[in-house]
Amino acid sequence: MSEAKTSETDLSEARTQLQRRKRYKRLFYGILTVGIVGYLALVTVWNRVGGDAIAISAVGVYWGAIVLALGLLQLGPDEIEDERAEEINAKASGRTLGVAGFLLILGGPGLATLGQTGVYTPPAWLTGMLWGYASLFAIFAVAHWYTKRQY
């Protein structure tokens, strides 16, 4: 009979932890949403009215929300992500890198060659996008090397 009580206690604790995790996850994303919406609202007001104080306030609201969200993430009693969410994030990250890599590998040499020969001059935003993808891979390589050394 004690096994049944232990099992019920474990289940109850797991449900409580799940509810707490969901609450903190909603709070985390709610804070980020308030920061983003507040920033966009103040930038809209700034575009209509003007005034540097409004623009600075917009950035302050945004940064304040980021600091609060990160504080909650670090100081909160529970993780907001479980193993399933971490696996989903890892797969989505891999797919994102795959698409960016495909576009960089396919587009980089082609655009460089076409630009050098004068056949096609790519717009600045396209060249900037490819440099952004290259930077993404450089950051990933450093982060991967650093993380691998931690284990």
Side-chain angles (χ1 to χ4, degrees):
M1 187 139 190
S2 65
E3 283 185 33
K5 286 185 180 181
T6 303
S7 179
E8 288 176 21
T9 304
D10 290 344
L11 185 58
S12 176
E13 288 175 9
R15 284 184 179 148
T16 302
Q17 183 182 13
L18 181 60
Q19 290 170 347
R20 198 169 43 230
R21 179 178 284 147
K22 284 181 180 180
R23 183 173 58 246
Y24 277 94
K25 192 173 192 174
R26 280 193 305 266
L27 185 58
F28 174 79
Y29 287 114
I31 290 169
L32 291 179
T33 301
V34 166
I36 292 167
V37 170
Y39 171 78
L40 293 173
L42 286 172
V43 165
T44 301
V45 170
W46 173 62
N47 283 330
R48 293 177 191 265
V49 176
D52 291 340
I54 296 173
I56 292 169
S57 297
V59 173
V61 166
Y62 180 75
W63 284 355
I66 297 294
V67 168
L68 278 174
L70 291 176
L72 178 70
L73 196 61
Q74 293 299 316
L75 303 174
D78 282 328
E79 300 279 330
I80 65 169
E81 302 285 338
D82 58 5
E83 296 83 11
R84 179 179 172 272
E86 288 175 2
E87 186 176 341
I88 290 169
N89 289 340
K91 286 184 179 181
S93 298
R95 288 180 177 146
T96 301
L97 285 173
V99 169
F102 176 78
L103 293 173
L104 182 62
I105 290 167
L106 184 69
L111 286 180
T113 302
L114 291 174
Q116 289 287 335
T117 59
V119 173
Y120 173 71
T121 303
W125 66 266
L126 187 57
T127 305
M129 181 184 75
L130 290 177
W131 277 108
Y133 288 162
S135 299
L136 174 74
F137 279 99
I139 292 168
F140 177 78
V142 170
H144 189 275
W145 171 81
Y146 177 79
T147 304
K148 189 175 180 182
R149 290 188 53 107
Q150 299 301 308
Y151 292 98

Short mmCIF file of all heavy atoms in Angstrom, two decimals, residues 91-114:
data_model
loop_
_atom_site.label_atom_id
_atom_site.label_comp_id
_atom_site.label_asym_id
_atom_site.label_seq_id
_atom_site.Cartn_x
_atom_site.Cartn_y
_atom_site.Cartn_z
N LYS A 91 16.15 20.11 -33.01
CA LYS A 91 15.80 19.73 -34.38
C LYS A 91 15.50 20.96 -35.24
O LYS A 91 15.93 21.05 -36.39
CB LYS A 91 14.62 18.77 -34.39
CG LYS A 91 14.99 17.37 -33.95
CD LYS A 91 13.83 16.42 -34.07
CE LYS A 91 14.28 15.03 -33.64
NZ LYS A 91 13.20 14.05 -33.77
N ALA A 92 14.78 21.92 -34.66
CA ALA A 92 14.47 23.15 -35.41
C ALA A 92 15.74 23.93 -35.70
O ALA A 92 15.90 24.48 -36.79
CB ALA A 92 13.48 24.01 -34.62
N SER A 93 16.67 23.97 -34.75
CA SER A 93 17.95 24.66 -34.97
C SER A 93 18.74 23.98 -36.08
O SER A 93 19.32 24.66 -36.94
CB SER A 93 18.78 24.66 -33.68
OG SER A 93 18.12 25.36 -32.67
N GLY A 94 18.76 22.66 -36.06
CA GLY A 94 19.46 21.92 -37.12
C GLY A 94 18.86 22.17 -38.49
O GLY A 94 19.59 22.35 -39.47
N ARG A 95 17.54 22.22 -38.55
CA ARG A 95 16.89 22.49 -39.84
C ARG A 95 17.17 23.91 -40.31
O ARG A 95 17.38 24.16 -41.50
CB ARG A 95 15.39 22.25 -39.72
CG ARG A 95 15.06 20.78 -39.61
CD ARG A 95 13.60 20.51 -39.49
NE ARG A 95 13.38 19.07 -39.46
CZ ARG A 95 12.43 18.48 -38.77
NH1 ARG A 95 11.60 19.19 -38.05
NH2 ARG A 95 12.31 17.17 -38.79
N THR A 96 17.18 24.85 -39.37
CA THR A 96 17.48 26.24 -39.72
C THR A 96 18.89 26.36 -40.27
O THR A 96 19.12 27.01 -41.31
CB THR A 96 17.32 27.15 -38.49
OG1 THR A 96 15.98 27.04 -38.00
CG2 THR A 96 17.63 28.60 -38.82
N LEU A 97 19.85 25.72 -39.60
CA LEU A 97 21.22 25.74 -40.10
C LEU A 97 21.33 25.04 -41.45
O LEU A 97 22.10 25.46 -42.31
CB LEU A 97 22.16 25.09 -39.09
CG LEU A 97 22.50 25.92 -37.86
CD1 LEU A 97 23.30 25.09 -36.86
CD2 LEU A 97 23.26 27.17 -38.24
N GLY A 98 20.56 23.98 -41.64
CA GLY A 98 20.57 23.27 -42.92
C GLY A 98 20.08 24.15 -44.06
O GLY A 98 20.70 24.19 -45.13
N VAL A 99 18.99 24.88 -43.85
CA VAL A 99 18.46 25.75 -44.89
C VAL A 99 19.44 26.89 -45.16
O VAL A 99 19.73 27.21 -46.32
CB VAL A 99 17.07 26.30 -44.49
CG1 VAL A 99 16.63 27.42 -45.41
CG2 VAL A 99 16.04 25.18 -44.48
N ALA A 100 19.95 27.51 -44.08
CA ALA A 100 20.91 28.61 -44.26
C ALA A 100 22.17 28.10 -44.97
O ALA A 100 22.71 28.78 -45.86
CB ALA A 100 21.27 29.23 -42.92
N GLY A 101 22.63 26.92 -44.61
CA GLY A 101 23.81 26.34 -45.26
C GLY A 101 23.56 26.05 -46.72
O GLY A 101 24.42 26.32 -47.58
N PHE A 102 22.41 25.51 -47.02
CA PHE A 102 22.05 25.22 -48.42
C PHE A 102 22.07 26.50 -49.24
O PHE A 102 22.65 26.55 -50.34
CB PHE A 102 20.68 24.55 -48.48
CG PHE A 102 20.20 24.29 -49.87
CD1 PHE A 102 20.69 23.22 -50.60
CD2 PHE A 102 19.25 25.12 -50.45
CE1 PHE A 102 20.24 22.98 -51.89
CE2 PHE A 102 18.80 24.89 -51.73
CZ PHE A 102 19.29 23.81 -52.46
N LEU A 103 21.43 27.55 -48.73
CA LEU A 103 21.39 28.82 -49.46
C LEU A 103 22.77 29.44 -49.60
O LEU A 103 23.11 29.99 -50.65
CB LEU A 103 20.45 29.80 -48.75
CG LEU A 103 18.97 29.41 -48.78
CD1 LEU A 103 18.16 30.36 -47.90
CD2 LEU A 103 18.43 29.39 -50.20
N LEU A 104 23.60 29.33 -48.55
CA LEU A 104 24.94 29.89 -48.60
C LEU A 104 25.82 29.12 -49.57
O LEU A 104 26.53 29.70 -50.40
CB LEU A 104 25.57 29.89 -47.20
CG LEU A 104 26.96 30.48 -47.07
CD1 LEU A 104 26.95 31.94 -47.46
CD2 LEU A 104 27.45 30.32 -45.65
N ILE A 105 25.77 27.80 -49.51
CA ILE A 105 26.60 26.97 -50.38
C ILE A 105 26.17 27.11 -51.84
O ILE A 105 26.99 27.19 -52.75
CB ILE A 105 26.54 25.49 -49.93
CG1 ILE A 105 27.28 25.35 -48.61
CG2 ILE A 105 27.12 24.57 -50.99
CD1 ILE A 105 27.05 24.03 -47.91
N LEU A 106 24.87 27.17 -52.06
CA LEU A 106 24.36 27.31 -53.42
C LEU A 106 24.53 28.74 -53.94
O LEU A 106 24.99 28.94 -55.07
CB LEU A 106 22.88 26.91 -53.46
CG LEU A 106 22.20 26.91 -54.81
CD1 LEU A 106 22.75 25.79 -55.66
CD2 LEU A 106 20.70 26.75 -54.63
N GLY A 107 24.19 29.71 -53.12
CA GLY A 107 24.14 31.10 -53.59
C GLY A 107 25.46 31.84 -53.55
O GLY A 107 25.71 32.69 -54.41
N GLY A 108 26.30 31.56 -52.57
CA GLY A 108 27.54 32.32 -52.41
C GLY A 108 28.44 32.29 -53.64
O GLY A 108 28.73 33.34 -54.24
N PRO A 109 28.88 31.12 -54.06
CA PRO A 109 29.75 31.08 -55.24
C PRO A 109 29.06 31.56 -56.51
O PRO A 109 29.67 32.22 -57.35
CB PRO A 109 30.12 29.60 -55.36
CG PRO A 109 29.90 29.04 -54.01
CD PRO A 109 28.78 29.81 -53.42
N GLY A 110 27.78 31.24 -56.64
CA GLY A 110 27.05 31.66 -57.84
C GLY A 110 26.96 33.17 -57.94
O GLY A 110 27.22 33.76 -59.00
N LEU A 111 26.59 33.82 -56.83
CA LEU A 111 26.47 35.28 -56.87
C LEU A 111 27.83 35.95 -57.05
O LEU A 111 27.94 36.95 -57.76
CB LEU A 111 25.80 35.78 -55.59
CG LEU A 111 24.29 35.54 -55.50
CD1 LEU A 111 23.76 36.07 -54.18
CD2 LEU A 111 23.57 36.17 -56.66
N ALA A 112 28.86 35.39 -56.42
CA ALA A 112 30.20 35.97 -56.58
C ALA A 112 30.66 35.87 -58.03
O ALA A 112 31.19 36.84 -58.60
CB ALA A 112 31.18 35.27 -55.65
N THR A 113 30.45 34.73 -58.63
CA THR A 113 30.88 34.53 -60.02
C THR A 113 30.08 35.42 -60.97
O THR A 113 30.65 36.06 -61.86
CB THR A 113 30.73 33.05 -60.42
OG1 THR A 113 31.50 32.26 -59.53
CG2 THR A 113 31.19 32.82 -61.84
N LEU A 114 28.77 35.44 -60.78
CA LEU A 114 27.94 36.26 -61.66
C LEU A 114 28.27 37.75 -61.49
O LEU A 114 28.27 38.50 -62.46
CB LEU A 114 26.46 36.02 -61.37
CG LEU A 114 25.93 34.64 -61.77
CD1 LEU A 114 24.49 34.47 -61.29
CD2 LEU A 114 26.02 34.43 -63.26
#
